[in-house]
Every structure is written in structure tokens, then in C-alpha cells.
Amino acid sequence: MDFSMWMISNYANTQSAILGLVVIVSCWALFRLQRRNADKLPPGPMGWPIVGNLLSLNSHVEELFAKWNKKYGPVCHLKFGSINFIILGSLEAVTEAFVKKGEVFNDRLHNTMPGFDSDSGIIFLSNGPRLKEQRRFGLSTLKMFGMGRKSLEPKILELCEDLCDELDPFAALREPVDVRPMICERISGVISQLVFDKNLPKHDDEFRTWTHVISNGTKYSGINMLTMFYPSLKIIPPFRWGAQETKRLELKGRRLLLKQIEEHKLTRDSKNPRDIIDCFMQEMADRESNATPDDHGFNDAQLLGMVRDLFLAGTETSSTTIYWAILFLCKYPEYQSRLYSEVDAVLHQRRPSLEDGNRLSYSKAVIQETLRMRPIAPMAVPHVANKDAEIMGYHIKKGSFVAPNLYRILHDEKLWSEPEKFDPSRHLDVEGKFVKHPSLIPFSIGPRQCLGMQLANMEVMLFLVSLVQRFSFEVPGVDEIDLRGKNEIVLRPHPYKVLIKRR
């Protein structure tokens, strides 16, 4: 065969292969569409065989999912491997799933995220009596030690003052500084007071380093998310490296937390509980002495898991929100000036208080606009359907992951005028009073709403007002910073340094 005939033959073979592939993919897509229609599955973008919609994902899935909800509707179906993934892009859809049908869409994924499991703690615990008992205990105990109440205020304000004192030398030198580690340390100090009855991050360098890592994530945080949908990836680099790094951090955290738990066992006074650990141990003792047949998870493993979850969720949410707020205030200095004017008019020279909340309307508006623009967990933690059910008339199969698309809801142009614009005044009425929008749900809703929501609101308000009362902030080159941030399950700002000036 001469060269020309060889070329013609191979070209024909290549054409045949491409045509065959197109036919196969087209038939598969048609089959999926017919099956979707037959099963009343929600609409959504077509994916590829085996991998599904994986190849469409990018570094800002919150924006991509928002586009898909806008195109396909408030209940959108995706496929990741064998997993059905449902994204809910409206308040109505989220309310139906997580409030009206909360008992159905209330499970969690099982042992697929590196470093976490569904056997202990609260965040990844599946639905049932155990979860309800643990949430009841967690919420009542947090309130006992001051969440949402004035009794916790002095401890938070002490940490606010401590943060401002650390920033003072940078203000004097006009030296740019990354404030995130300092904020993280103080926020974790609040959690530490509630859990350990002491500010452990201030006195234990190893514990402080661990809290910084869990708050900032690692270089593997993004790829770890994929292992939720493809657990087998954990044996393949770089996913294996991410799983190993997360496991190492988990073991380090476990060792640090167990040390504190063991100290509590030796020093606990059953009549005078000092903190959450003491209360949990007392609950364990009471159930054991009463021979309760089902302890609903009141055991050592659950105690460790709960303490871990309190630090993971409590440190990240508040510290990242404050970090975002400072960046937005530097981007829009006119809003920073207005915020300071309100703080000065209401407080003068005294420290802020929770009782000032009703008079600090613009401060609350800035915080709420920050949470609207950049929700910390834009897809929250996915729920799992524990049986076949429907959402807005669409069939949802048992085992489907169901996630609230908080980013879409908080950027829906039908709900928010110019949703991509940072504008605190949208949260004020004509008299300048703060008004909470019904669709403003950065902590999600339903039985699995963030347990520490009230604590986060307390912390962010007192810390931000304390900072603005004492300093003004400026970020050199702020216009060059990508304000979209980076999504590694948690939506964080890119690191930046701020110039601080004493007011």
C-alpha cells in the first residue's frame, strides 16, 4: 500500500471512530433525557459517561451552580459518578426540602470526606434521635454559657481589646499586616472559653497553630471536595496526598483535644460545671447511673467529635466574615466612614454592647451585606435524602445529595437590586433602621441550621465595631485584589495586608 492509500485508509478509520463516538454519546444523552423525563427528575446540564458533570466544574462552583439554577430552575439535577446531586436555588425550594420535609432531607454523607466521619460530632451526624439529642444538648449548653446573652459579652470584649492592642504597633509604624491570623486566634479563643473554660490558643502555641490551619485550610482543601463524590480518588495522587494531609491534621487535633478532655476528667466538679466538656461529662455520668438503655451518643467518642466540630465551624465562620468585611470596607471607604460615624455617635468612647444592636443599624447592615455577598459556605454542607421524595414536583431518589445554593439565593436579581454590588443600605428602611430580608439565610434553615448562628452574630458585631471604633483600614492595591475570593468548600478572600491607622 502506498503512502497516499495509507493516509486515506487511516483518515477513514479516524472518521469512523469519531462518528461512532458521537453516536454513542448522543444515544447515551438521549437515553438520559428520556429517563429523566420518565422519572420526573429535575432538569440539569448533560454530563459525560462515568464522570457525569465533573468536567464542567471550575474553581468557582458557587457561580457555576448559580448559572445552572438560573438556566434550569430552582431544582437542578447534576451527576457526579453514581451520585445524584441536587442544587436548590430558591428560598421556596430550600424551605420545602429542609423545613417542610426536614425529616427526609436531613441525612449526611457517610465517611467520604478525608478527616471526617458521620459517627461522631454534629456536622456529619446523620438524622435520627441521636442527632436531635446532640443538637438539643449543644444548643442548650451554648446558651447556658452565654450564647446570645450578655453573660458572654465581657469575655468577647476582652478578646476584642486584646486584638486591638496587638494591632496598635502596626498602626504606629503604618506597617501593612495580614490580620487574619490575629482575628482567627481571638475567635477560637471565644470557642475555647466555652469549651475549655480558658483561652487555650493564647497559651498553647501548638493549639494556636492547629486552629490557624483549620481556619485557613490547606493547599488540598479544594481537591478534597471531589472525594465526596468519588471516594476511590483517595488512593490516587494528588487526592491521596490531600487525604493524608487531612488525616494528619485530624490526628493532631484529636491529640490536642484529648489532652484537654483528660484534664477535665481529673479536675471536674459535678456540682459546678465550668464549660461544655464538664456538662457533657455530667450528662454521660447521669445516663450511666440511671442505666439509660440508649445513651444517644453521650460517650467519649461523641464528646471528642462535638468539641472538634465546635472549633471547626465556630472559628471559620466568624473570622472569615470579619476578614471579608474589612476588605469590603477598604474597597468602599465611604461605607467605612459612615460606619465609623454611626459607631462614634452611638458609643462615643465606651465599649460596644449587645444592647447597642438596635442603634447600630448600619453596622448590622454592613455585616449582613458581607454575609450576602460572600456566604462562608455557599453550598452549606450537603444533605442526603433518606428515602425517595419530591421537591417542587420533581422526583428525588433516595441517597441523593441535596444542597442549598445559598450563593444563588443571595445573588438572585429578582430578590436583590444589582446583586453583585456591595451596598449595605439595601438592609435599611426609609428611616435608616435595619431590616432583615427573608431570603437572607447565610446559615441555611431548618433542623440543621448552623448551631452557633447566634454566637457568630455576637462575635462579628462586637469585633467589627471594636475594630472600627479604634482604627481605620486601608488595603494598598485593593482594586487589584480579586474580590471573588477562592472557594475551597469555604469561600475565603485571597490573603491581603492592611494598613491600619489609629482614629
Side-chain angles (χ1 to χ4, degrees):
M1 181 183 297
D2 61 23
F3 180 73
S4 60
M5 291 298 294
W6 180 85
M7 287 290 291
I8 292 172
S9 175
N10 278 274
Y11 179 71
N13 290 337
T14 302
Q15 273 193 320
S16 298
I18 293 175
L19 181 60
L21 180 62
V22 169
V23 171
I24 292 172
V25 172
S26 298
C27 290
W28 176 81
L30 182 61
F31 170 76
R32 273 203 64 195
L33 181 61
Q34 290 174 338
R35 184 176 177 183
R36 185 192 297 256
N37 291 336
D39 292 345
K40 292 178 63 180
L41 292 176
M46 286 297 178
W48 291 90
I50 301 176
V51 296
N53 298 102
L54 173 65
L55 300 180
S56 299
L57 301 184
N58 57 34
S59 59
H60 279 281
V61 293
E62 77 283 357
E63 297 176 359
L64 177 65
F65 287 177
K67 290 179 181 178
W68 282 344
N69 271 131
K70 184 176 181 179
K71 181 177 181 179
Y72 296 104
V75 185
C76 180
H77 176 268
L78 307 177
K79 196 77 173 180
F80 296 119
S82 61
I83 295 174
N84 293 297
F85 192 90
I86 311 298
I87 48 177
L88 306 178
S90 73
L91 180 61
E92 293 76 15
V94 174
T95 301
E96 179 176 337
F98 297 162
V99 178
K100 297 178 181 178
K101 299 177 180 178
E103 289 297 312
V104 176
F105 300 103
N106 207 14
D107 272 5
R108 286 294 200 216
L109 47 96
H110 293 276
N111 302 323
T112 57
M113 177 73 80
F116 297 98
D117 60 67
S118 55
D119 298 325
S120 63
I122 292 180
I123 297 176
F124 289 92
L125 200 63
S126 278
N127 188 34
R130 183 177 175 186
L131 173 65
K132 293 178 180 178
E133 276 287 285
Q134 293 299 321
R135 283 188 62 91
R136 177 202 60 76
F137 170 84
L139 188 60
S140 63
T141 310
L142 282 169
K143 288 183 177 179
M144 178 192 303
F145 290 104
M147 184 179 75
R149 300 177 180 177
K150 196 171 178 61
S151 59
L152 183 59
E153 185 179 290
K155 294 180 180 179
I156 298 178
L157 288 174
E158 181 181 338
L159 289 162
C160 292
E161 190 72 18
D162 189 47
L163 173 61
C164 290
D165 289 343
E166 186 174 6
L167 292 176
D168 252 334
F170 296 98
L173 297 172
R174 292 289 286 167
E175 179 183 340
V177 60
D178 185 352
V179 297
R180 182 175 177 82
M182 304 177 198
I183 295 172
C184 171
E185 181 180 332
R186 272 62 182 200
I187 295 297
S188 63
V190 177
I191 304 296
S192 183
Q193 291 282 0
L194 292 168
V195 175
F196 304 133
D197 191 37
K198 59 184 174 182
N199 186 357
L200 191 61
K202 184 175 182 179
H203 304 291
D204 188 316
D205 291 341
E206 191 176 14
F207 193 89
R208 180 168 60 252
T209 301
W210 177 70
T211 59
H212 286 172
V213 172
I214 64 172
S215 182
N216 289 284
T218 71
K219 62 182 178 180
Y220 299 110
S221 298
I223 63 175
N224 276 343
M225 181 173 63
L226 295 178
T227 61
M228 287 194 298
F229 312 117
Y230 304 94
S232 58
L233 290 176
K234 285 186 281 188
I235 64 174
I236 304 172
F239 303 97
R240 184 178 68 195
W241 305 332
Q244 291 172 342
E245 173 68 7
T246 308
K247 187 66 176 178
R248 184 185 68 80
L249 290 172
E250 180 207 14
L251 291 174
K252 179 178 181 180
R254 180 186 292 268
R255 176 173 56 81
L256 294 170
L257 296 175
L258 279 175
K259 179 182 177 181
Q260 299 302 317
I261 291 173
E262 291 302 317
E263 287 183 5
H264 273 65
K265 289 181 179 180
L266 298 175
T267 60
R268 183 174 72 90
D269 179 354
S270 60
K271 296 181 179 179
N272 297 292
R274 300 161 294 184
D275 47 41
I276 291 174
I277 292 179
D278 277 356
C279 288
F280 195 100
M281 288 181 174
Q282 186 59 45
E283 187 75 18
M284 289 170 58
D286 290 344
R287 288 172 182 259
E288 184 177 350
S289 62
N290 294 330
T292 304
D294 188 346
D295 66 1
H296 291 302
F298 284 94
N299 51 53
D300 289 335
Q302 173 60 20
L303 172 57
L304 178 62
M306 175 174 283
V307 172
R308 173 203 65 195
D309 286 359
L310 287 172
F311 271 98
L312 285 174
T315 301
E316 178 68 69
T317 303
S318 299
S319 60
T320 302
T321 301
I322 296 167
Y323 199 49
W324 270 119
I326 292 173
L327 183 58
F328 278 119
L329 291 174
C330 291
K331 174 68 175 178
Y332 304 103
E334 65 274 20
Y335 298 149
Q336 185 175 168
S337 297
R338 182 173 174 183
L339 178 57
Y340 171 69
S341 296
E342 177 186 79
V343 169
D344 186 49
V346 172
L347 302 180
H348 303 291
Q349 299 301 316
R350 66 175 174 82
R351 297 201 301 181
S353 169
L354 293 176
E355 294 178 351
D356 297 316
N358 292 332
R359 296 199 294 158
L360 292 171
S361 291
Y362 195 75
S363 302
K364 293 171 72 173
V366 167
I367 293 168
Q368 293 303 300
E369 182 67 350
T370 301
L371 288 168
R372 185 196 70 81
M373 285 287 289
R374 297 294 179 263
I376 306 307
M379 303 299 296
V381 179
H383 297 216
V384 176
N386 55 41
K387 66 179 182 180
D388 287 1
E390 287 191 353
I391 301 176
M392 299 187 78
Y394 292 110
H395 178 62
I396 309 298
K397 294 183 178 181
K398 178 182 178 180
S400 296
F401 285 24
V402 183
N405 193 345
L406 303 180
Y407 186 88
R408 165 60 181 167
I409 296 170
L410 299 173
H411 288 77
D412 189 342
E413 58 277 1
K414 294 179 181 178
L415 302 173
W416 314 95
S417 174
E418 298 182 274
E420 297 303 323
K421 179 182 178 182
F422 184 82
D423 181 13
S425 64
R426 71 173 80 243
H427 304 284
L428 303 174
D429 63 16
V430 292
E431 297 179 352
K433 302 294 184 182
F434 175 77
V435 178
K436 188 179 185 303
H437 196 286
S439 294
L440 194 64
I441 54 169
F443 298 96
S444 194
I445 56 176
R448 298 210 80 129
Q449 186 181 51
C450 177
L451 195 69
M453 178 178 65
Q454 284 184 294
L455 177 61
N457 287 331
M458 285 179 66
E459 292 172 325
V460 175
M461 168 64 79
L462 293 176
F463 270 93
L464 187 62
V465 170
S466 295
L467 288 169
V468 172
Q469 183 182 36
R470 193 153 160 182
F471 304 107
S472 63
F473 300 94
E474 176 187 346
V475 173
V478 68
D479 292 334
E480 300 174 6
I481 296 177
D482 180 4
L483 292 178
R484 295 162 70 200
K486 54 181 179 178
N487 189 345
E488 299 169 333
I489 303 177
V490 173
L491 187 55
R492 302 183 180 96
H494 293 285
Y496 64 87
K497 291 188 175 182
V498 61
L499 281 170
I500 304 169
K501 181 180 180 181
R502 188 71 186 264
R503 290 197 184 274

